[in-house]
Each structure stands twice: as structure tokens, then as C-alpha cells.
Amino acid sequence: MAGKTVTRADLADAVCREVGLSRTESAALVEMIIGEVCDAIVKGEAVKLSSFATFQVREKSERVGRNPKTGEEVPICSRRVMTFKASNVLKKRILDGYRKLNK
């Protein structure tokens, strides 16, 4: 299922159409929002966008993995990863959209 990818420019165009800001102001607003979200995530803060999703940073401890080609055990270092958890509202919208497409 290949679809269109929504880019920053697409978001800026949507802001321009819906809010009435100029293209430059809309692009700056989108960049500012993305920057704030990124800064919070880098600091380890959770970002919750109500009715959309929650982004969180989680610590993964060191563990032993396996090279799938050779079967050799390889240590995997501890690290921080970002998780994305969709809200129930978003999950319902996705399911409803899927059902409409497959009628």
C-alpha cells in the first residue's frame, strides 16, 4: 500500500490555506513546532499531542544479540530510543478510513 508522503512543505501549505498566513510564515510556524517537539524529545521529555499520539524516549539496556547470518553472539550497547504511541482517537480514524476504502 504505497501512498503519498506528507512533507513539511505540505504541512506549511495546509497551514497557509487553513489559517491564512503567508507561505513563509506558515513554513516558519511548522518548523517552530517541529523544533519544539524535537527539543523536548532530545531532553527526554514525553510529548503528548492530545487526540493524536505520545512520543517518549525510553532507555534500552545492554543485551546480547545474534548476527543472523553467522549466528555469532554480538553485544548490543545500551541506548535511548524514541517510541510513538498512537491515541485511541487516531487509531479509530485509521480504522474508519480503512473500512471506507474497503467497502
Side-chain angles (χ1 to χ4, degrees):
M1 185 167 100
K4 182 184 181 310
T5 300
V6 177
T7 64
R8 290 173 189 229
D10 295 330
L11 294 174
D13 286 342
V15 170
C16 182
R17 279 191 317 273
E18 296 295 322
V19 180
L21 297 175
S22 71
R23 288 199 187 285
T24 306
E25 291 170 326
S26 297
L29 180 61
V30 169
E31 287 299 323
M32 190 183 326
I33 291 168
I34 291 172
E36 288 295 320
V37 170
C38 289
D39 291 345
I41 291 169
V42 167
K43 290 179 198 171
E45 299 172 1
V47 176
K48 182 175 182 177
L49 302 175
S50 183
S51 301
F52 180 66
T54 301
F55 300 87
Q56 283 185 306
V57 175
R58 172 172 98 86
E59 301 286 332
K60 292 186 93 174
S61 57
E62 186 173 325
R63 63 186 176 91
V64 176
R66 240 179 241 291
N67 180 329
K69 198 171 192 177
T70 64
E72 176 186 356
E73 288 189 352
V74 180
I76 298 173
C77 299
S78 61
R79 63 200 183 279
R80 293 172 67 192
V81 296
M82 188 196 70
T83 62
F84 170 90
K85 183 173 184 217
S87 73
N88 289 333
V89 173
L90 178 58
K91 288 177 187 178
K92 184 178 180 325
R93 273 183 83 171
I94 291 168
L95 184 59
D96 291 346
Y98 176 77
R99 286 180 178 153
K100 280 182 183 176
L101 289 174
N102 292 304
K103 276 190 171 181

